[in-house]
Amino acid sequence: MALADFSAWGITIVHGMSSGPLEVGAYQRLHTAEELTTRFRPWPPWLGVP
């Protein structure tokens, strides 16, 4: 799983550059279950790239 790889590599935050409702919901469920080992910053496509 990517989250385990991120943790093993020392990556603490990832940016989801095309985060829609399904992706954000999946990360929220992982967070609620205390299984989210990496911080996640969503960038919904409708906001554009800063």
Side-chain angles (χ1 to χ4, degrees):
M1 176 178 222
L3 292 175
D5 290 337
F6 292 152
S7 182
W9 297 329
I11 296 171
T12 60
I13 188 168
V14 294
H15 295 258
M17 299 307 290
S18 60
S19 303
L22 293 176
E23 293 83 7
V24 172
Y27 282 108
Q28 182 62 46
R29 286 188 294 279
L30 286 168
H31 176 72
T32 300
E34 298 183 1
E35 295 178 7
L36 189 59
T37 57
T38 303
R39 288 178 283 175
F40 171 71
R41 183 171 184 175
W43 287 98
W46 59 87
L47 291 179
V49 176

